[in-house]
Amino acid sequence: MSVTLKIRTQPIGSPVIHGNPYSVFVVKEGYAYTDKDGNMKADGSITLVKGQQVILVDTGNPWDKGVILQNLETHGLEPKDISFVVCTHGHSDHVGNLNLFPEATFIVSYDICKRDVYLSHDFREGLPFKIDDYVEVFATPGHCGSDVSVLVRGTEEGTVVVAGDLFEREGDDGSWQLLSENPELQAKHRDKVQDVADVIIPGHGAPFRVIKEYEPVL
Ligand SMILES: [Zn+2]
């Protein structure tokens, strides 16, 4: 007898995932839709990962400054308290507010820098960049040529992956390919992330659970 893995998903229904030492907060839920006049409207998810380090994953578009500052204030944080800013990729709805964070180390796609000092790190070889034992940044290209995702261990929901546009939203199975620079590569990394994640925070939708069920094949 062998087993097959079936994956299904389910919305978590909350912008907050508590954990120890890290909790994850969706600052702004990303979206993408066509309005009644036929305009394509989109903005990327902005996520705060708060624990030993304070990490912001993606910074929305240039008009999201207010929402970010306001949300940080509710956590008792100022922009200078952000130790890492990770941008999953370089599109304008993910990198709109980098200059709000004077003390941060920036990881933008495969670049890591603090001010004008660049750290060399081999994302291309698949090596994750460990912020500490609980949080790491790893390469998940496909949507663009050099996307990264952020993995957070030890939350009450298990392992959370903030995935940028690797996942547009829950149930995007037939649509993500249209926005992909390399669908084959993206499919590979989507599988990998679904394997390790208990929750995925997508680039343009609400957080969702990844439920793995092993079914016997008789
Ligand atoms: Zn994008």
Side-chain angles (χ1 to χ4, degrees), residues 126-203:
L127 202 67
F129 179 82
K130 286 179 186 284
I131 288 179
D132 59 24
D133 287 344
Y134 296 89
V135 182
E136 59 187 55
V137 183
F138 63 108
T140 51
H143 173 68
C144 293
S146 52
D147 309 71
V148 293
S149 295
V150 179
L151 181 145
V152 185
R153 292 188 179 87
T155 78
E156 286 173 2
E157 295 278 355
T159 297
V160 176
V161 175
V162 190
D165 290 1
L166 181 65
F167 290 86
E168 290 288 316
R169 68 183 70 78
E170 184 185 3
D172 64 355
D173 275 341
S175 59
W176 61 266
Q177 292 89 342
L178 292 170
L179 301 159
S180 181
E181 287 184 15
N182 187 334
E184 201 180 320
L185 197 58
Q186 188 168 346
K188 191 178 123 191
H189 288 112
R190 284 168 64 94
D191 286 349
K192 184 179 164 184
V193 165
Q194 279 188 331
D195 275 355
V196 298
D198 298 302
V199 171
I200 291 173
I201 300 182

Coordinates of all heavy atoms in Angstrom, one line a residue, residues 126-203:
G126 N 20.5 28.5 -3.9 CA 19.4 28.0 -3.1 C 19.7 28.1 -1.6 O 19.0 27.5 -0.7
L127 N 20.7 28.8 -1.2 CA 21.1 29.0 0.2 C 20.2 30.0 0.9 O 20.1 31.1 0.5 CB 22.6 29.5 0.3 CG 23.3 29.2 1.5 CD1 23.6 27.7 1.7 CD2 24.7 30.0 1.5
P128 N 19.5 29.6 2.0 CA 18.6 30.6 2.6 C 19.5 31.6 3.4 O 20.6 31.2 3.9 CB 17.8 29.7 3.6 CG 18.5 28.4 3.8 CD 19.4 28.2 2.6
F129 N 19.0 32.8 3.6 CA 19.6 33.7 4.5 C 18.9 33.7 5.8 O 17.7 34.0 5.9 CB 19.5 35.1 3.8 CG 20.1 36.2 4.7 CD1 21.5 36.4 4.7 CD2 19.3 37.0 5.5 CE1 22.1 37.4 5.5 CE2 19.9 38.0 6.3 CZ 21.3 38.2 6.3
K130 N 19.6 33.3 6.8 CA 19.0 33.1 8.1 C 19.0 34.4 8.9 O 20.1 34.9 9.2 CB 19.7 32.0 8.9 CG 19.3 30.6 8.4 CD 20.1 29.6 9.3 CE 19.9 28.2 8.8 NZ 18.7 27.6 9.0
I131 N 17.9 35.0 9.2 CA 17.9 36.2 10.1 C 18.1 35.7 11.5 O 18.9 36.3 12.3 CB 16.5 36.9 10.0 CG1 16.6 37.6 8.6 CG2 16.3 37.9 11.1 CD1 15.3 38.4 8.2
D132 N 17.5 34.6 11.9 CA 17.9 33.9 13.2 C 17.4 32.5 13.0 O 17.1 32.0 11.9 CB 17.4 34.6 14.4 CG 15.9 34.8 14.4 OD1 15.2 34.0 13.8 OD2 15.4 35.7 15.1
D133 N 17.3 31.7 14.2 CA 16.8 30.3 14.1 C 15.4 30.2 13.6 O 14.9 29.1 13.3 CB 17.0 29.7 15.5 CG 18.4 29.4 15.8 OD1 19.2 29.4 14.9 OD2 18.7 29.1 17.0
Y134 N 14.6 31.3 13.7 CA 13.2 31.2 13.4 C 12.8 31.8 12.1 O 11.7 31.5 11.6 CB 12.4 31.9 14.5 CG 12.5 31.2 15.9 CD1 13.6 31.5 16.7 CD2 11.7 30.1 16.2 CE1 13.8 30.9 17.9 CE2 11.9 29.5 17.4 CZ 12.9 29.8 18.3 OH 13.1 29.2 19.5
V135 N 13.6 32.7 11.6 CA 13.2 33.4 10.3 C 14.3 33.3 9.3 O 15.4 33.6 9.6 CB 12.9 34.9 10.6 CG1 12.4 35.6 9.3 CG2 11.9 35.1 11.7
E136 N 13.8 32.9 8.1 CA 14.8 32.9 7.0 C 14.2 33.3 5.7 O 13.0 33.3 5.5 CB 15.5 31.5 6.8 CG 14.6 30.4 6.6 CD 15.4 29.0 6.6 OE1 16.0 28.7 7.6 OE2 15.3 28.3 5.6
V137 N 15.1 33.8 4.8 CA 14.7 34.3 3.5 C 15.3 33.4 2.5 O 16.4 33.0 2.6 CB 15.2 35.8 3.3 CG1 14.7 36.3 2.0 CG2 14.8 36.7 4.5
F138 N 14.4 32.9 1.6 CA 14.9 32.0 0.6 C 14.4 32.2 -0.8 O 13.4 32.9 -1.0 CB 14.7 30.5 1.0 CG 13.2 30.2 1.1 CD1 12.6 29.3 0.2 CD2 12.4 30.7 2.1 CE1 11.3 29.0 0.3 CE2 11.0 30.4 2.2 CZ 10.5 29.5 1.3
A139 N 15.2 31.8 -1.8 CA 14.8 32.1 -3.2 C 13.7 31.3 -3.7 O 13.6 30.1 -3.5 CB 16.1 31.8 -4.0
T140 N 12.7 32.0 -4.3 CA 11.5 31.3 -4.9 C 11.2 32.0 -6.2 O 10.1 32.5 -6.4 CB 10.3 31.4 -3.9 OG1 10.1 32.8 -3.5 CG2 10.5 30.6 -2.7
P141 N 12.2 32.0 -7.2 CA 12.0 32.7 -8.4 C 10.9 32.0 -9.3 O 10.5 30.9 -9.1 CB 13.3 32.6 -9.1 CG 14.0 31.4 -8.5 CD 13.5 31.3 -7.1
G142 N 10.5 32.8 -10.3 CA 9.5 32.3 -11.3 C 8.6 33.5 -11.7 O 8.5 33.8 -12.8
H143 N 7.9 34.1 -10.7 CA 7.1 35.3 -11.0 C 8.0 36.3 -11.6 O 7.7 36.9 -12.7 CB 6.5 35.8 -9.7 CG 5.7 37.1 -9.9 ND1 4.6 37.2 -10.6 CD2 6.0 38.4 -9.4 CE1 4.2 38.5 -10.5 NE2 5.0 39.2 -9.8
C144 N 9.2 36.6 -11.0 CA 10.3 37.3 -11.6 C 11.5 36.4 -11.6 O 11.4 35.3 -11.3 CB 10.6 38.6 -10.8 SG 9.3 39.8 -10.8
G145 N 12.6 36.9 -12.0 CA 13.8 36.1 -12.1 C 14.5 35.9 -10.7 O 15.4 35.0 -10.6
S146 N 14.2 36.7 -9.7 CA 14.9 36.6 -8.4 C 14.0 37.0 -7.2 O 14.3 37.8 -6.4 CB 16.1 37.6 -8.5 OG 15.7 38.9 -8.8
D147 N 12.8 36.3 -7.2 CA 11.9 36.5 -6.0 C 12.5 35.8 -4.8 O 13.1 34.7 -4.9 CB 10.6 35.9 -6.3 CG 10.0 36.3 -7.6 OD1 10.5 35.9 -8.7 OD2 9.0 37.0 -7.6
V148 N 12.1 36.3 -3.6 CA 12.4 35.6 -2.4 C 11.1 35.5 -1.6 O 10.2 36.3 -1.8 CB 13.5 36.4 -1.5 CG1 14.8 36.3 -2.2 CG2 13.1 37.8 -1.2
S149 N 11.1 34.6 -0.6 CA 10.0 34.4 0.3 C 10.6 34.4 1.7 O 11.8 34.1 1.9 CB 9.2 33.1 0.1 OG 8.6 33.1 -1.2
V150 N 9.7 34.7 2.7 CA 10.2 34.7 4.1 C 9.5 33.6 4.9 O 8.2 33.5 4.9 CB 9.9 36.1 4.7 CG1 10.4 36.1 6.2 CG2 10.6 37.2 4.0
L151 N 10.3 32.7 5.6 CA 9.7 31.6 6.3 C 9.8 31.9 7.8 O 10.9 32.4 8.3 CB 10.5 30.4 6.0 CG 10.0 29.1 6.6 CD1 10.2 27.9 5.6 CD2 10.9 28.8 7.9
V152 N 8.7 31.8 8.5 CA 8.7 32.1 10.0 C 8.2 30.8 10.7 O 7.1 30.3 10.5 CB 7.7 33.2 10.3 CG1 7.8 33.5 11.8 CG2 7.9 34.4 9.5
R153 N 9.1 30.3 11.6 CA 8.8 29.0 12.3 C 8.2 29.3 13.7 O 8.4 30.4 14.2 CB 10.1 28.2 12.6 CG 10.7 27.7 11.4 CD 11.9 26.7 11.7 NE 12.5 26.2 10.5 CZ 13.4 26.8 9.8 NH1 13.9 27.9 10.2 NH2 13.9 26.3 8.7
G154 N 7.4 28.4 14.2 CA 7.0 28.5 15.6 C 5.8 29.4 15.9 O 5.7 29.8 17.0
T155 N 5.0 29.6 14.9 CA 3.8 30.4 15.3 C 2.7 29.4 15.7 O 2.8 28.2 15.6 CB 3.2 31.2 14.1 OG1 2.5 30.3 13.2 CG2 4.3 31.9 13.3
E156 N 1.6 29.9 16.3 CA 0.5 29.0 16.7 C -0.1 28.3 15.6 O -0.8 27.3 15.7 CB -0.5 29.9 17.5 CG -0.1 30.3 18.8 CD -1.0 31.2 19.5 OE1 -2.1 31.6 19.0 OE2 -0.6 31.7 20.7
E157 N 0.1 28.8 14.3 CA -0.4 28.1 13.1 C 0.6 27.3 12.5 O 0.5 26.8 11.4 CB -0.9 29.1 12.1 CG -2.1 29.9 12.6 CD -3.5 29.2 12.4 OE1 -3.5 28.1 11.8 OE2 -4.5 29.7 12.8
G158 N 1.8 27.1 13.1 CA 2.9 26.4 12.5 C 3.8 27.3 11.7 O 4.0 28.5 12.1
T159 N 4.3 26.8 10.6 CA 5.3 27.5 9.8 C 4.5 28.4 8.8 O 3.6 28.0 8.1 CB 6.2 26.6 9.0 OG1 7.0 25.8 9.9 CG2 7.1 27.3 8.1
V160 N 4.8 29.7 8.8 CA 4.2 30.7 7.9 C 5.2 31.1 6.9 O 6.4 31.3 7.2 CB 3.8 32.0 8.7 CG1 3.2 33.0 7.8 CG2 2.8 31.6 9.8
V161 N 4.8 31.1 5.6 CA 5.6 31.6 4.5 C 4.9 32.8 3.9 O 3.8 32.8 3.4 CB 5.9 30.5 3.4 CG1 6.7 31.2 2.3 CG2 6.7 29.4 4.0
V162 N 5.7 34.0 4.0 CA 5.2 35.2 3.3 C 5.8 35.1 1.9 O 7.0 35.2 1.7 CB 5.7 36.5 4.1 CG1 5.0 37.7 3.5 CG2 5.4 36.3 5.6
A163 N 4.9 34.9 0.9 CA 5.4 34.4 -0.4 C 5.4 35.4 -1.5 O 5.8 35.0 -2.6 CB 4.6 33.2 -0.8
G164 N 5.1 36.6 -1.3 CA 5.0 37.6 -2.4 C 4.1 37.0 -3.5 O 3.1 36.4 -3.2
D165 N 4.5 37.3 -4.7 CA 3.6 36.9 -5.8 C 3.9 35.5 -6.3 O 3.4 35.1 -7.4 CB 3.7 37.9 -7.0 CG 3.1 39.2 -6.6 OD1 2.6 39.3 -5.4 OD2 3.1 40.1 -7.4
L166 N 4.6 34.7 -5.6 CA 4.7 33.2 -5.9 C 3.3 32.7 -5.8 O 2.9 31.8 -6.7 CB 5.6 32.6 -4.8 CG 5.8 31.1 -4.9 CD1 6.6 30.7 -6.2 CD2 6.5 30.5 -3.7
F167 N 2.5 33.1 -4.9 CA 1.1 32.9 -4.8 C 0.4 34.2 -4.9 O 0.6 35.1 -4.1 CB 0.7 32.2 -3.5 CG 1.1 30.8 -3.4 CD1 2.4 30.5 -3.0 CD2 0.3 29.7 -3.9 CE1 2.9 29.2 -2.9 CE2 0.8 28.4 -3.8 CZ 2.1 28.1 -3.3
E168 N -0.5 34.4 -5.9 CA -1.3 35.6 -6.0 C -2.3 35.7 -4.9 O -2.5 36.7 -4.2 CB -2.0 35.7 -7.4 CG -1.1 35.9 -8.6 CD -0.5 37.3 -8.6 OE1 -1.3 38.2 -8.4 OE2 0.7 37.4 -8.9
R169 N -3.0 34.6 -4.8 CA -4.1 34.4 -3.7 C -4.4 33.0 -3.6 O -3.9 32.1 -4.4 CB -5.3 35.2 -4.2 CG -6.1 34.6 -5.3 CD -7.2 35.4 -5.7 NE -6.8 36.7 -6.3 CZ -6.3 36.8 -7.6 NH1 -6.2 35.8 -8.4 NH2 -5.9 38.0 -8.0
E170 N -5.2 32.7 -2.6 CA -5.7 31.3 -2.4 C -6.5 30.9 -3.7 O -7.3 31.7 -4.2 CB -6.6 31.2 -1.2 CG -7.1 29.8 -0.9 CD -8.0 29.7 0.3 OE1 -8.4 30.7 0.8 OE2 -8.4 28.5 0.6
G171 N -6.3 29.7 -4.2 CA -7.1 29.2 -5.3 C -6.7 29.9 -6.6 O -7.6 30.1 -7.5
D172 N -5.5 30.3 -6.8 CA -5.1 31.0 -8.0 C -4.6 30.1 -9.1 O -3.9 30.5 -10.0 CB -4.0 32.1 -7.7 CG -2.7 31.4 -7.2 OD1 -2.7 30.2 -7.0 OD2 -1.7 32.2 -7.0
D173 N -4.9 28.8 -8.9 CA -4.3 27.7 -9.8 C -4.3 28.0 -11.3 O -3.3 27.8 -11.9 CB -5.0 26.4 -9.5 CG -4.4 25.7 -8.3 OD1 -3.2 26.1 -7.9 OD2 -5.0 24.8 -7.7
G174 N -5.4 28.5 -11.8 CA -5.3 28.7 -13.3 C -4.9 30.1 -13.7 O -4.8 30.4 -14.9
S175 N -4.6 31.0 -12.8 CA -4.4 32.4 -13.1 C -2.9 32.9 -12.9 O -2.5 33.9 -13.6 CB -5.4 33.3 -12.4 OG -5.2 33.2 -11.0
W176 N -2.2 32.4 -12.0 CA -0.9 32.9 -11.7 C 0.1 32.9 -12.9 O 1.0 33.7 -13.1 CB -0.2 32.2 -10.5 CG 0.0 30.8 -10.6 CD1 -0.8 29.7 -10.3 CD2 1.2 30.1 -11.2 NE1 -0.2 28.5 -10.6 CE2 1.0 28.7 -11.2 CE3 2.4 30.6 -11.8 CZ2 1.9 27.8 -11.7 CZ3 3.3 29.7 -12.3 CH2 3.0 28.3 -12.2
Q177 N -0.1 31.9 -13.8 CA 0.8 31.7 -14.9 C 0.8 32.9 -15.8 O 1.9 33.2 -16.4 CB 0.3 30.5 -15.7 CG 0.5 29.1 -15.0 CD -0.7 28.7 -14.2 OE1 -1.6 29.5 -13.9 NE2 -0.8 27.5 -13.9
L178 N -0.3 33.6 -15.9 CA -0.4 34.8 -16.8 C 0.6 35.9 -16.4 O 1.0 36.7 -17.2 CB -1.8 35.4 -16.8 CG -2.9 34.5 -17.4 CD1 -4.3 35.1 -17.1 CD2 -2.7 34.4 -18.9
L179 N 1.0 35.9 -15.1 CA 1.8 37.0 -14.6 C 3.2 36.5 -14.3 O 4.0 37.2 -13.7 CB 1.2 37.5 -13.2 CG -0.2 38.0 -13.3 CD1 -0.9 38.0 -12.0 CD2 -0.2 39.4 -13.9
S180 N 3.5 35.3 -14.8 CA 4.8 34.7 -14.5 C 5.8 34.9 -15.6 O 5.6 34.6 -16.7 CB 4.6 33.2 -14.2 OG 5.8 32.5 -13.9
E181 N 7.1 35.2 -15.2 CA 8.1 35.3 -16.2 C 8.6 33.9 -16.5 O 9.2 33.6 -17.6 CB 9.3 36.1 -15.6 CG 9.0 37.6 -15.6 CD 10.2 38.4 -15.1 OE1 11.4 37.9 -15.1 OE2 10.0 39.6 -14.8
N182 N 8.5 32.9 -15.6 CA 9.0 31.6 -15.8 C 8.1 30.6 -15.1 O 8.4 30.2 -13.9 CB 10.5 31.5 -15.3 CG 11.1 30.1 -15.6 OD1 10.4 29.1 -15.8 ND2 12.4 30.1 -15.8
P183 N 6.9 30.2 -15.7 CA 6.0 29.4 -15.0 C 6.5 28.0 -14.5 O 6.1 27.6 -13.5 CB 4.9 29.2 -16.1 CG 5.0 30.3 -17.1 CD 6.5 30.7 -17.0
E184 N 7.4 27.5 -15.3 CA 8.0 26.2 -14.9 C 8.7 26.3 -13.5 O 8.5 25.5 -12.6 CB 8.9 25.7 -16.0 CG 9.1 24.2 -15.9 CD 10.1 23.8 -17.0 OE1 10.0 24.3 -18.2 OE2 11.0 22.9 -16.8
L185 N 9.5 27.3 -13.5 CA 10.3 27.5 -12.2 C 9.4 27.9 -11.1 O 9.5 27.5 -9.9 CB 11.3 28.7 -12.5 CG 12.5 28.9 -11.6 CD1 13.3 27.6 -11.5 CD2 13.3 30.1 -12.0
Q186 N 8.4 28.7 -11.4 CA 7.4 29.2 -10.4 C 6.6 28.0 -9.8 O 6.4 27.8 -8.6 CB 6.5 30.3 -10.9 CG 5.6 30.9 -9.8 CD 4.9 32.1 -10.2 OE1 5.2 32.7 -11.3 NE2 3.9 32.5 -9.4
A187 N 6.2 27.1 -10.7 CA 5.5 25.9 -10.3 C 6.3 25.1 -9.3 O 5.8 24.6 -8.3 CB 5.1 25.1 -11.5
K188 N 7.6 24.9 -9.6 CA 8.5 24.2 -8.7 C 8.6 24.8 -7.3 O 8.5 24.1 -6.3 CB 9.9 24.2 -9.4 CG 10.9 23.2 -8.8 CD 12.2 23.2 -9.5 CE 13.3 23.6 -8.5 NZ 14.5 23.9 -9.2
H189 N 8.7 26.1 -7.3 CA 8.8 26.8 -6.0 C 7.4 26.8 -5.3 O 7.4 26.8 -4.0 CB 9.4 28.2 -6.1 CG 10.9 28.1 -6.5 ND1 11.4 28.4 -7.7 CD2 11.9 27.6 -5.7 CE1 12.7 28.2 -7.6 NE2 13.0 27.6 -6.5
R190 N 6.3 26.9 -6.0 CA 5.0 26.8 -5.4 C 4.9 25.5 -4.6 O 4.4 25.4 -3.5 CB 3.9 27.0 -6.4 CG 3.7 28.4 -6.8 CD 2.8 28.5 -8.1 NE 1.4 28.0 -7.8 CZ 0.4 28.8 -7.5 NH1 0.6 30.1 -7.3 NH2 -0.8 28.3 -7.3
D191 N 5.3 24.4 -5.3 CA 5.2 23.0 -4.7 C 6.1 23.0 -3.4 O 5.7 22.5 -2.4 CB 5.7 22.0 -5.7 CG 4.7 21.7 -6.8 OD1 3.6 22.2 -6.6 OD2 5.1 21.0 -7.7
K192 N 7.3 23.5 -3.5 CA 8.2 23.5 -2.4 C 7.6 24.3 -1.2 O 7.7 23.8 -0.1 CB 9.5 24.1 -2.8 CG 10.6 24.1 -1.8 CD 11.9 24.7 -2.3 CE 12.8 25.0 -1.1 NZ 14.0 25.7 -1.5
V193 N 7.0 25.4 -1.5 CA 6.5 26.2 -0.4 C 5.2 25.6 0.2 O 5.1 25.5 1.4 CB 6.2 27.7 -0.9 CG1 5.3 28.4 0.1 CG2 7.5 28.4 -1.0
Q194 N 4.4 25.0 -0.6 CA 3.2 24.3 -0.1 C 3.7 23.1 0.8 O 3.0 22.8 1.7 CB 2.4 23.7 -1.3 CG 1.5 24.8 -1.8 CD 0.5 24.3 -2.8 OE1 0.7 23.3 -3.5 NE2 -0.7 25.0 -2.9
D195 N 4.8 22.5 0.5 CA 5.3 21.4 1.3 C 5.7 21.8 2.7 O 5.5 21.1 3.6 CB 6.6 20.8 0.6 CG 6.2 19.7 -0.4 OD1 5.0 19.4 -0.5 OD2 7.1 19.2 -1.1
V196 N 6.4 23.0 2.8 CA 6.9 23.4 4.1 C 6.0 24.3 4.9 O 6.1 24.4 6.1 CB 8.3 24.1 3.9 CG1 9.3 23.2 3.3 CG2 8.2 25.4 3.2
A197 N 5.0 24.9 4.2 CA 4.2 25.9 4.9 C 2.9 25.3 5.5 O 2.3 24.5 4.9 CB 3.8 27.0 3.9
D198 N 2.6 25.8 6.7 CA 1.2 25.6 7.2 C 0.3 26.7 6.9 O -0.9 26.5 6.8 CB 1.3 25.4 8.7 CG 2.2 24.2 9.1 OD1 1.8 23.1 8.7 OD2 3.2 24.4 9.8
V199 N 0.9 27.9 6.7 CA 0.1 29.1 6.3 C 0.9 29.8 5.2 O 2.1 30.0 5.4 CB -0.2 30.0 7.5 CG1 -0.8 31.4 7.0 CG2 -1.1 29.4 8.5
I200 N 0.2 30.3 4.2 CA 0.9 31.1 3.2 C 0.2 32.5 3.2 O -1.0 32.6 3.2 CB 0.7 30.4 1.8 CG1 1.6 29.2 1.7 CG2 1.1 31.4 0.6 CD1 1.4 28.3 0.4
I201 N 1.0 33.5 3.2 CA 0.5 34.9 3.0 C 0.9 35.2 1.5 O 2.0 35.4 1.2 CB 1.1 35.9 4.0 CG1 0.8 35.4 5.4 CG2 0.7 37.3 3.7 CD1 1.2 36.3 6.5
P202 N -0.2 35.3 0.6 CA 0.1 35.6 -0.8 C 0.3 37.1 -1.1 O -0.1 37.9 -0.2 CB -1.2 35.0 -1.4 CG -2.2 35.2 -0.4 CD -1.6 35.1 0.9
G203 N 0.7 37.4 -2.3 CA 1.0 38.8 -2.6 C -0.2 39.6 -2.8 O -0.2 40.8 -2.6

